[in-house]
Amino acid sequence: MKIAVSLAVCITQIMVDVKIGDLMLLAITHNNLKMLDRLLEFDETHNKSGNRGRGNGWNRIRSNDDVKGNYPGKDFDSEEFPRFMTPLMLATQCGLYETVEYLMNRGHKLDRPHPPRCACGDSCLAAAARGDVVADSCERLNGYWAISNPTFICTTSSSADPVLECFRLHEELLQCGAAEQVHKTTYTDMASQVRQFAVELIVNCRTTDEVKIMLRNRDGCRFRGKFPYPRLITAMDYKQKEFVAHTNIQQVLETAWLGDWIEWKSYSVTWKLLYLVWRFIMLPVMVVLGMLVPNSKINQFNRLPINRMLNGLVTYLVFLGLLFRQSNADKFETRRGAPELSMWLPIAVFVVGHVVEKLKLRLQQGPERFFKNLWNVFDTVKLTLFSLAFLSWIAAALNIITQGSDDLNRKYWPWMDPQLVAESLFTMATVMAYLRLLFLCQLNYYIGPMQVSLEKVLHDFGKFATFLLIIMAAFTCGLGTYYSYYAGMVHKDPETGDITRQEDSFITVADTFKTLFWGIFCMTSLEAPNVVVGNTVAATGLIDAATQSHQFTQLVGYGLFAVFEVLMVVVMMNMLIAAMSDTFQGVTDNAEYEWLFGRTQVYVSYMLLNDMPPPFNLLPTTGLLFCAKRLVSKSLCGYSRMPGDDGRGDLDSRSTAADLEFRELMTEIIKRYFTMHRPLVEY
């Protein structure tokens, strides 16, 4: 080995064209750390590295000449390595843990690349002025390739919490791929590598305690409030489905979900339904015991997340029963004004309870994270519709008081009558209330993946709606008033006396849109494009023999309508079906982690609740006081410091990565990982 190093040094000193920097990179490529050490010592002694790596720690620092394209030593680029390649960048790309650690101890640094959309004045604007987009893009890709390697993640300052670094880097890589579409595949592959490394870290946890230590890390968690595993919420926020769905995490989560009640798994479906009925009967008793003896064993058992879910399901089914009774009540004897108080007051109490529940969750999570969950948006819209319906009913009752008459027939009501508005809003809210049961479908192993597919298929339809709107707008504008000249015309057959009237299908823009929309579902009359030329005199009703048939106008109308039908029914609808089938197949192929991720969302949503379900949460000992306390603290001392957060302010500032227990665990896990992935060393 010494002879080889001495020979390499002698050849370097004799041959001018050979760069010692390239020899260093070749030594790294072959994982020859001893030769790299000798070459670095020789370079530091004689400063023979040429243009490659000038500057502190082999970082190439561009000067003003770089902007003009006059790089120092530009004509001496290597044939094997790009000019921006440094020993540390190459070592991280190759995943050489010992080499990376050795170079960093010698002072080598690797700057984090700037995202494609960055416009900072230090380097990005200078690079944009130079105009060499190919070189800049290649350098950025290599930089991200280096920092996304597990070796770099574990050896840099972010190694204190490599899991969080993987989450953030994964999101950054996806954003880079969205900004630079030509390299989206490459960025996506690097993001997959980072995501998989986070999974590998949880794989190397060998005991339940190790998994709990990792999940108790609060760094990066945007949730305010008490939750046993904040890292799980962070992973869900970053859409780390493989990480969340891993067996180690799911076992710990299921233990927290069931507690000591392991008998639930052995219950049959029939017994589970009977237990649900028993929970319905005993729920008032549970509420009273919770208020009188909150620390009793019965109340502690009632606080298990699975029991919170069962209690919430029972009360929600009661709420749906009240909605069914109101929606299907006899309407023939209903008079103008608000319905009977006994009909809508229980529903209003439930709605207020749900509002308090969502308000508490909103205060805990903050607006950004709260509305990021689409189910929270769904609930907000639903509760808003219920609230507006109640307000409209109150307005209708006030109208009766001011007018003094409630026997006015419905057909004489104006179209914006408060009672009509209330009925419409209540109907939409009722539909949404029943659709809310889809959220619990994610708990089932068999229908859970289908519920996930439903959500993703709706995204496909959203993309399809873009083409739908463009095509509908094109044909609506073209045919909108094409037949307006023939509006109201009547043609009478001279022989049979049959009368044909002009269809209103394409008379106006609104009629055209309606005709085309229902034409997608083949519900439009085939005679819609017919052109009827009137041949009767309005005054006398006699037939005018001089009228002509406009065949060309009718031909154009039929042609455009036929093109629309072929384009929408044959082409676009089949394209939508193919996209939905592909989405469903993708979810089915990854049903394991797709379903587990959806189930985890349900688990976490109920684990975040520590109150009785609506309307029992309106009792003064539960969430009502919490919401009032939060609102007062928000107005007095700001949002970042609220009571109920253990007096430590914003949870984002609570760093747990520096805790001795967590630091020792991550050190051990990293050792296990690199022991399993140790590369072969060449001598």
Side-chain angles (χ1 to χ4, degrees):
M1 177 61 67
K2 294 182 179 179
I3 297 175
V5 174
S6 301
L7 182 61
V9 172
C10 293
I11 293 175
T12 305
Q13 292 176 342
I14 295 173
M15 300 180 63
V16 180
D17 293 337
V18 177
K19 293 293 181 181
I20 192 172
D22 292 343
L23 293 178
M24 295 178 188
L25 297 180
L26 288 172
I28 294 173
T29 303
H30 295 283
N31 196 18
N32 196 325
L33 187 57
K34 293 183 179 179
M35 178 173 287
L36 176 63
D37 179 65
R38 297 299 179 86
L39 291 172
L40 283 173
E41 290 181 357
F42 177 81
D43 179 68
E44 291 177 357
T45 304
H46 298 83
N47 193 19
K48 296 284 186 177
S49 62
N51 70 309
R52 185 179 298 281
R54 285 186 178 179
N56 182 21
W58 286 74
N59 288 318
R60 177 170 57 83
I61 303 176
R62 292 182 177 177
S63 62
N64 293 331
D65 294 336
D66 297 340
V67 180
K68 303 176 183 178
N70 301 321
Y71 304 118
K74 177 181 177 182
D75 298 332
F76 299 99
D77 282 346
S78 171
E79 295 180 357
E80 296 188 52
F81 304 100
R83 64 180 304 276
F84 56 79
M85 184 65 65
T86 63
L88 183 57
M89 180 182 292
L90 182 61
T92 53
Q93 290 180 355
C94 296
L96 306 177
Y97 185 85
E98 293 84 357
T99 304
V100 171
E101 199 170 33
Y102 167 78
L103 291 173
M104 295 187 68
N105 290 334
R106 293 184 68 98
H108 289 237
K109 298 179 181 179
L110 183 60
D111 295 332
R112 195 180 189 92
H114 293 236
R117 293 177 179 175
C118 181
C120 63
D122 295 336
S123 59
C124 296
L125 294 181
R130 191 177 70 251
D132 194 354
V133 292
V134 176
D136 294 336
S137 178
C138 183
E139 183 177 356
R140 185 185 301 110
L141 281 173
N142 279 268
Y144 275 112
W145 184 14
I147 68 172
S148 63
N149 193 283
T151 303
F152 180 81
I153 296 175
C154 294
T155 53
T156 57
S157 58
S158 61
S159 60
D161 193 357
V163 177
L164 180 60
E165 179 65 20
C166 288
F167 293 169
R168 291 173 174 173
L169 185 57
H170 175 266
E171 186 177 39
E172 183 178 348
L173 290 171
L174 293 181
Q175 292 175 356
C176 291
E180 206 168 9
Q181 293 287 335
V182 292
H183 295 299
K184 184 175 182 178
T185 303
T186 306
Y187 282 116
T188 303
D189 293 339
M190 288 189 288
S192 300
Q193 174 185 339
V194 173
R195 185 174 66 245
Q196 185 60 35
F197 175 59
V199 178
E200 291 288 340
L201 293 178
I202 199 67
V203 167
N204 284 279
C205 292
R206 298 176 179 176
T207 63
T208 303
D209 292 336
E210 291 182 350
V211 177
K212 288 182 178 179
I213 292 173
M214 181 175 289
L215 294 181
R216 282 198 294 263
N217 193 313
R218 193 176 289 275
D219 291 337
C221 184
R222 305 184 185 98
F223 174 74
R224 295 177 172 89
K226 295 181 180 180
F227 186 74
Y229 306 126
R231 177 49 52 89
L232 182 61
I233 296 181
T234 305
M236 295 176 64
D237 289 342
Y238 284 100
K239 302 296 182 182
Q240 299 293 318
K241 296 183 178 181
E242 292 89 344
F243 183 88
V244 173
H246 192 267
T247 306
N248 293 346
I249 293 181
Q250 288 297 315
Q251 288 177 333
V252 173
L253 180 63
E254 192 168 358
T255 301
W257 174 254
L258 294 176
D260 298 332
W261 191 25
I262 59 177
E263 296 85 358
W264 174 262
K265 296 182 180 180
S266 61
Y267 290 170
S268 63
V269 177
T270 303
W271 181 247
K272 289 181 179 179
L273 293 176
L274 292 176
Y275 180 80
L276 193 65
V277 176
W278 182 82
R279 295 293 301 185
F280 171 73
I281 298 174
M282 296 298 297
L283 187 58
V285 180
M286 297 293 182
V287 174
V288 174
L289 291 177
M291 296 178 60
L292 299 179
V293 281
N295 296 324
S296 63
K297 292 184 178 180
I298 297 178
N299 194 43
Q300 292 178 0
F301 176 76
N302 194 48
R303 290 176 181 174
L304 290 177
I306 185 172
N307 282 328
R308 296 177 194 167
M309 186 270 293
L310 295 175
N311 293 335
L313 179 59
V314 166
T315 56
Y316 197 76
L317 291 177
V318 174
F319 176 59
L320 295 182
L322 294 174
L323 293 178
F324 181 82
R325 187 190 69 167
Q326 170 64 24
S327 300
N328 294 273
D330 188 6
K331 303 295 193 305
F332 291 101
E333 296 182 359
T334 302
R335 304 178 69 86
R336 192 180 185 189
E340 296 181 3
L341 191 63
S342 59
M343 294 290 291
W344 66 272
L345 184 58
I347 299 176
V349 173
F350 271 92
V351 170
V352 173
H354 283 288
V355 170
V356 171
E357 183 181 64
K358 290 302 173 182
L359 179 60
K360 176 185 176 182
L361 196 61
R362 156 65 178 79
L363 292 173
Q364 284 182 333
Q365 299 182 357
E368 182 179 357
R369 189 179 183 278
F370 177 81
F371 290 109
K372 191 176 181 180
N373 188 343
L374 295 181
W375 281 111
N376 290 334
V377 178
F378 183 89
D379 289 334
T380 302
V381 175
K382 177 190 68 177
L383 296 175
T384 302
L385 291 176
F386 273 121
S387 302
L388 293 177
F390 295 146
L391 293 177
S392 298
W393 268 327
I394 294 175
L398 293 177
N399 284 342
I400 299 303
I401 296 176
T402 56
Q403 296 177 3
S405 175
D406 60 349
D407 56 354
L408 183 64
N409 196 295
R410 176 177 288 263
K411 62 183 178 181
Y412 300 115
W413 298 357
W415 68 276
M416 281 298 292
D417 188 273
Q419 187 168 351
L420 297 179
V421 174
E423 292 171 354
S424 302
L425 295 175
F426 186 84
T427 300
M428 292 187 292
T430 301
V431 173
M432 297 184 68
Y434 276 89
L435 290 178
R436 189 62 169 81
L437 292 175
L438 292 174
F439 179 70
L440 295 178
C441 293
Q442 299 177 96
L443 293 174
N444 189 272
Y445 177 79
Y446 300 101
I447 64 177
M450 298 183 65
Q451 198 275 341
V452 176
S453 301
L454 177 62
E455 179 182 353
K456 293 183 178 296
V457 162
L458 291 178
H459 287 286
D460 290 338
F461 180 79
K463 300 174 184 177
F464 170 78
T466 304
F467 299 98
L468 175 64
L469 292 176
I470 293 176
I471 296 174
M472 288 288 294
F475 283 89
T476 300
C477 293
L479 292 171
T481 57
Y482 187 60
Y483 288 77
S484 60
Y485 308 101
Y486 308 95
M489 288 192 177
V490 178
H491 180 84
K492 185 176 182 180
D493 193 307
E495 298 179 358
T496 62
D498 294 336
I499 297 176
T500 306
R501 298 181 180 275
Q502 175 64 48
E503 296 278 349
D504 295 335
S505 303
F506 303 106
I507 297 299
T508 63
V509 174
D511 292 334
T512 304
F513 183 85
K514 180 179 66 176
T515 302
L516 295 178
F517 179 80
W518 293 113
I520 299 175
F521 308 99
C522 302
M523 298 177 64
T524 300
S525 174
L526 295 178
E527 289 76 20
N530 283 345
V531 175
V532 176
V533 181
N535 62 347
T536 60
V537 181
T540 61
L542 300 177
I543 297 176
D544 187 359
T547 58
Q548 303 292 326
S549 61
H550 295 180
Q551 297 295 332
F552 181 75
T553 302
Q554 181 171 295
L555 178 63
V556 172
Y558 265 104
L560 290 176
F561 188 66
V563 171
F564 175 82
E565 288 292 310
V566 171
L567 187 61
M568 291 301 302
V569 178
V570 179
V571 179
M572 298 302 300
M573 293 299 293
N574 283 280
M575 184 182 70
L576 177 62
I577 293 173
M580 291 181 174
S581 300
D582 184 67
T583 300
F584 182 80
Q585 187 62 41
V587 174
T588 304
D589 295 339
N590 304 301
E592 181 178 357
Y593 68 82
E594 289 284 357
W595 168 67
L596 288 175
F597 185 81
R599 189 184 71 170
T600 304
Q601 289 180 322
V602 181
Y603 282 0
V604 171
S605 65
Y606 283 102
M607 292 174 70
L608 294 177
L609 303 175
N610 55 4
D611 297 322
M612 294 298 293
F616 299 107
N617 62 338
L618 297 178
L619 297 175
T621 56
T622 55
L624 194 61
L625 291 180
F626 176 88
C627 294
K629 183 171 56 175
R630 289 275 176 146
L631 290 173
V632 172
S633 62
K634 179 180 178 181
S635 60
L636 294 179
C637 55
Y639 192 78
S640 60
R641 294 185 176 273
M642 297 182 181
D645 289 340
D646 301 332
R648 289 179 288 182
D650 193 353
L651 297 183
D652 293 342
S653 62
R654 307 180 198 171
S655 177
T656 55
D659 291 348
L660 179 61
E661 188 179 34
F662 180 80
R663 188 169 65 251
E664 291 178 350
L665 173 63
M666 294 311 305
T667 302
E668 185 64 27
I669 289 178
I670 291 173
K671 289 180 180 179
R672 296 171 188 171
Y673 173 81
F674 283 105
T675 300
M676 296 174 57
H677 298 81
R678 178 177 297 172
L680 297 176
V681 181
E682 297 183 6
Y683 294 96

